[in-house]
Amino acid sequence: MPTYLHALQTWTPDSLYLQEEASTAMQAQVGDPRVRRIIRHIHRQSAIDQRHVVWQNDADALFPVDGDGRWHNPGTGARNQAYTRYAAPAAAELARRCLAAAPHLAAADVTHVITASCTGFSNPGIDIQICRALQLPDTTARFHLGFMGCSAAFPALRMAKALCDADPQAVVLVLCLELCSLHFQPGNTSEDALIAGALFADGAGAALVSQRPPPPGLPAVRLQGFSTTLTPTGGESMAWNIGDHGFDIVLSSYVPHLLGSFIRDALLPPLTAAGRTLESIDFWAVHPGGKAILDRIAEALHLPDTALQPSRNVLRSYGNMSSATIFFVLQQGLRRLTRPQRTAAMAFGPGLTVEMAFLELLPPHAHAD
């Protein structure tokens, strides 16, 4: 039986930084004019206009401003406490909206909750917070995928499909939540920190997965297949470690070149196995890990300029929200649907990992057998 993704919903916090504002704020944290020029260049070349952040400069500010205008650089414990404080209500709000957008499904129907996050740790975690807030059945099974980075939505959706294949009555809530801004490191002038400070943002995405046919009038996504590939080189080029002042990211400027050189070898075998060709794909849902990554993917796959515009739109309006970002890209695809769209989706994570999914986007009145 086919498995569907229902009621795809996204969330961002209210606080918003324009990229030019963020650049000015980050420059104010360093005294070296050369580093300031680098920060200005990275922000201007990012293809990002704005990003949402969960923290604000109020009484609970994570980054209070000192007398000289420098941000305080809190320890990992304080950052993780902020994650616990902000993540639970955000996850609950998004889960409620996801259920509300699926009138054919109720809280009592949910059999499994799968959450993914790589930007904080808490226990009880957001999976339990969701169950309590939505009053899900006490028997709801819970799974959490932690520290998998930007590609975690695909293992989560793969697990959801496997659960539905094993039990056609299953209804799985999948929710990815990332508060990347909690790990900004003001004053850190390493290349990795400067790139991360210009790229990452906060957001969440969620969907319900089941084998129940989508009702007329609502769009849906048919999950058809998944693929995971580890690149033979570059494992040290994308990493995520716990430091004394938040999580330290390793994000080499060489990553786009690595992905560009390897993406065809990773994509073509599972694409062929799924009975598709590059030319048969109607919609490319590529995780916007950064402008250079999108450029290299488009170049390697010989895609037209318009093919990755939805991904570029998400990057411009939201930045990189790690595992949650692919939900925003899929939302872009669903909003423009006039007919079913054969879709190839992909994201990239530590390792260097390439996660892919083959989907079909279905407009509200498409035949969904």
Side-chain angles (χ1 to χ4, degrees):
M1 295 178 63
T3 302
Y4 301 96
L5 187 156
H6 305 259
L8 191 148
Q9 296 287 300
T10 58
W11 168 91
T12 53
D14 294 333
S15 300
L16 182 72
Y17 265 105
L18 298 179
Q19 191 72 331
E20 190 63 31
E21 294 174 337
S23 175
T24 300
M26 296 300 287
Q27 290 175 61
Q29 310 308 307
V30 298
D32 187 338
R34 183 186 64 86
V35 177
R36 289 192 195 131
R37 288 195 297 272
I38 293 172
I39 292 172
R40 189 160 55 246
H41 175 77
I42 291 173
H43 280 74
R44 288 180 177 175
Q45 296 300 313
S46 66
I48 297 171
D49 286 346
Q50 61 185 30
R51 290 176 289 161
H52 293 263
V53 299
V54 76
W55 48 268
Q56 301 179 33
N57 286 323
D58 55 20
D60 296 323
L62 182 63
F63 303 101
V65 179
D66 296 332
D68 61 357
R70 302 288 178 89
W71 288 349
H72 175 65
N73 193 12
T76 302
R79 295 168 187 263
N80 199 64
Q81 287 173 9
Y83 175 88
T84 303
R85 182 167 69 250
Y86 292 124
E93 175 191 335
L94 179 58
R96 285 194 190 94
R97 285 203 282 110
C98 195
L99 269 173
H104 56 299
L105 298 170
D109 296 322
V110 177
T111 56
H112 303 76
V113 172
I114 301 173
T115 53
S117 184
C118 69
T119 49
F121 299 93
S122 63
N123 204 354
I126 56 175
D127 54 333
I128 291 180
Q129 302 290 347
I130 290 169
C131 290
R132 296 297 189 205
L134 274 64
Q135 298 183 323
L136 300 183
D138 292 340
T139 54
T140 302
R142 296 173 285 106
F143 305 89
H144 182 71
L145 305 180
F147 232 53
M148 293 190 72
C150 296
S151 62
F154 291 95
L157 291 172
R158 184 204 294 257
M159 179 183 291
K161 184 178 186 303
L163 291 168
C164 291
D165 288 342
D167 178 7
Q169 299 305 309
V171 175
V172 186
L173 173 64
V174 175
L175 188 145
C176 298
L177 183 145
E178 305 290 7
L179 305 182
C180 306
S181 74
L182 299 181
H183 302 285
F184 287 166
Q185 297 188 2
N188 186 337
T189 59
S190 71
E191 179 186 16
D192 295 328
L194 295 180
I195 292 174
L199 180 62
F200 286 101
D202 300 340
L208 291 159
V209 179
S210 81
Q211 293 190 346
R212 304 185 189 191
L218 292 177
V221 179
R222 180 157 38 197
L223 304 179
Q224 296 178 311
F226 294 87
S227 174
T228 300
T229 306
L230 279 173
T231 64
T233 60
E236 71 290 345
S237 298
M238 185 186 294
W240 194 250
N241 303 303
I242 300 176
D244 293 333
H245 293 279
F247 297 167
D248 298 326
I249 189 167
V250 176
L251 190 62
S252 169
S253 58
Y254 193 51
V255 166
H257 301 281
L258 286 169
L259 291 173
S261 65
F262 186 73
I263 192 63
R264 289 184 72 91
D265 289 340
L267 174 63
L268 290 180
L271 190 68
T272 301
R276 298 183 181 182
T277 63
L278 289 172
E279 295 73 24
S280 72
I281 299 300
D282 301 308
F283 180 61
W284 292 92
V286 178
H287 169 69
K291 178 181 181 298
I293 287 178
L294 294 178
D295 290 346
R296 296 292 85 74
I297 295 297
E299 179 183 313
L301 299 180
H302 306 297
L303 299 179
D305 291 342
T306 57
L308 299 188
Q309 194 57 51
S311 296
R312 297 186 192 277
N313 291 343
V314 170
L315 182 66
R316 186 170 301 280
S317 297
Y318 300 99
N320 183 343
M321 299 164 286
S322 192
S323 68
T325 319
I326 197 66
F327 288 90
F328 289 74
V329 179
L330 289 173
Q331 234 179 17
Q332 289 260 324
L334 288 171
R335 285 171 178 164
R336 71 178 195 175
L337 275 185
T338 57
R339 60 180 178 82
Q341 299 274 295
R342 291 163 294 187
T343 299
M346 62 184 73
F348 321 104
L352 191 61
T353 306
V354 179
E355 292 280 357
M356 291 178 285
F358 302 106
L359 318 166
E360 187 174 19
L361 305 188
L362 302 169
H365 300 288
H367 185 60
D369 292 338

